[in-house]
């Protein structure tokens, strides 16, 4: 049984395009996150949502727009892709008060 | 601001014990977590300390001293499959819960 799933696993696209990544969790958690991991493996939080409400926005450019249609889903739309957006994007979920986050398998985005 | 420091690389032999240290600076501290990530994989949770002391889970143990803003991950009876990156991460509350990750420690286990 998949706990946190993301699609697609790989995304290769040209600069200037718009793309979306989808995330779903079946753990019943109330909080979901998007993280970006760069080529040096530095893992940085981008957004967190609690019960569909945006809680944390870590000064991410507004080309990145998360959307949470319900507490089991958190999607990420990226407009006008830039070379620097190339990274692995991880979705994660947790219960808000717990210290354990469960990560999805990641989406490797390559912008050419 | 928030910052974490951990060694960038550690090398050890199979069967040995290795300790990965982590020091942190943060406001709104709630707890310290450890995650393991193999190349090409996702971070997976190992342990979480909210209170001072040692937490043991099988071959892995984690320690926290809140007064020293310090923690460590102890891996015993090292196996080749333990070769991975290990991240310490601070869970804090500043208007919402968030987890800030350290830069990771690459562990190489040699035969």
């Amino acid at each position: 049984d998949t706990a946190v799933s993301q699609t697609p696993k790989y995304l290769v696209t040209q600069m200037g395009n718009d793309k979306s990544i989808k995330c779903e969790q079946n753990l019943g958690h109330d909080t979901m996150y998007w993280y970006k991991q760069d080529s040096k493996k530095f893992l940085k939080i981008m957004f967190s949502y609690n019960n569909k409400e945006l809680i944390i926005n870590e000064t991410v450019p507004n080309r990145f727009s998360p959307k949470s249609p319900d507490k089991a889903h958190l999607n990420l739309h990226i407009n006008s892709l830039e070379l620097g957006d190339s990274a692995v994007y991880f979705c994660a979920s947790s219960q808000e008060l717990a210290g354990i986050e469960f990560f999805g398998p990641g989406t490797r985005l390559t912008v050419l | 601001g928030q910052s974490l420091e951990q060694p960038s690389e550690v090398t050890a032999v199979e069967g040995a014990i290795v300790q990965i240290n982590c020091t942190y600076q943060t406001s709104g501290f709630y707890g310290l977590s450890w995650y393991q990530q193999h190349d090409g994989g996702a971070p997976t949770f190992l342990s979480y300390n909210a209170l001072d002391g040692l937490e043991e889970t099988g071959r892995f143990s984690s320690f926290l001293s809140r007064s020293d803003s310090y923690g460590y991950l102890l891996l015993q009876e090292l196996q080749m499959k333990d070769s991975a990156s290990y991240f310490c991460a601070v869970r804090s509350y500043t208007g919402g819960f968030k987890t800030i990750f350290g830069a990771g420690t690459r562990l190489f286990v040699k035969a």
Side-chain angles (χ1 to χ4, degrees):
Chain A
D1 284 347
T2 305
V4 183
S5 59
Q6 295 177 227
T7 54
K9 191 165 172 62
Y10 299 96
L11 198 46
V12 181
T13 188
Q14 300 284 337
M15 259 193 333
N17 283 350
D18 304 338
K19 290 293 177 187
S20 292
I21 309 171
K22 294 187 175 182
C23 177
E24 177 181 0
Q25 55 95 4
N26 63 5
L27 297 166
H29 289 161
D30 56 10
T31 305
M32 295 185 74
Y33 314 83
W34 278 111
Y35 287 88
K36 178 180 180 181
Q37 188 170 46
D38 62 22
S39 56
K40 295 184 178 170
K41 302 203 80 174
F42 188 61
L43 194 62
K44 183 170 168 51
I45 188 167
M46 300 171 68
F47 302 102
S48 78
Y49 271 71
N50 179 263
N51 283 315
K52 304 192 301 175
E53 189 179 330
L54 178 67
I55 303 297
I56 301 281
N57 178 342
E58 284 290 295
T59 60
V60 179
N62 57 15
R63 297 184 295 106
F64 291 78
S65 48
K67 279 195 172 49
S68 182
D70 56 61
K71 72 174 194 177
H73 294 84
L74 180 62
N75 304 323
L76 184 65
H77 187 76
I78 316 170
N79 288 327
S80 304
L81 277 156
E82 301 177 356
L83 292 176
D85 298 332
S86 294
V88 181
Y89 291 84
F90 287 102
C91 175
S93 73
S94 74
Q95 277 302 111
E96 185 184 26
L97 296 180
I100 305 172
E101 293 182 25
F102 293 81
F103 283 77
T107 296
R108 182 174 291 277
L109 171 65
T110 303
V111 182
L112 304 173
Chain B
Q2 296 172 310
S3 66
L4 294 97
E5 286 196 21
Q6 55 181 124
S8 58
E9 265 186 31
V10 172
T11 301
V13 296
E14 251 185 320
I17 299 173
V18 73
Q19 179 173 312
I20 301 174
N21 297 322
C22 175
T23 57
Y24 60 86
Q25 276 188 315
T26 189
S27 52
F29 177 85
Y30 258 75
L32 187 72
S33 306
W34 289 91
Y35 289 80
Q36 178 192 62
Q37 186 179 28
H38 286 98
D39 285 347
T44 55
F45 172 81
L46 292 176
S47 70
Y48 177 69
N49 294 66
L51 302 174
D52 286 357
L54 192 67
E55 294 276 345
E56 297 181 72
T57 312
R59 294 188 296 115
F60 295 176
S61 305
S62 60
F63 172 83
L64 174 66
S65 167
R66 293 173 70 121
S67 59
D68 294 324
S69 298
Y70 164 76
Y72 66 72
L73 178 70
L74 192 73
L75 299 89
Q76 303 182 74
E77 300 171 22
L78 279 174
Q79 302 174 9
M80 298 294 286
K81 68 177 182 180
D82 297 331
S83 293
S85 293
Y86 292 85
F87 295 87
C88 64
V90 162
R91 190 154 177 85
S92 65
Y93 185 91
T94 48
F97 281 102
K98 67 179 177 183
T99 302
I100 302 298
F101 284 77
T105 298
R106 182 83 182 202
L107 172 63
F108 297 95
V109 180
K110 296 185 172 180

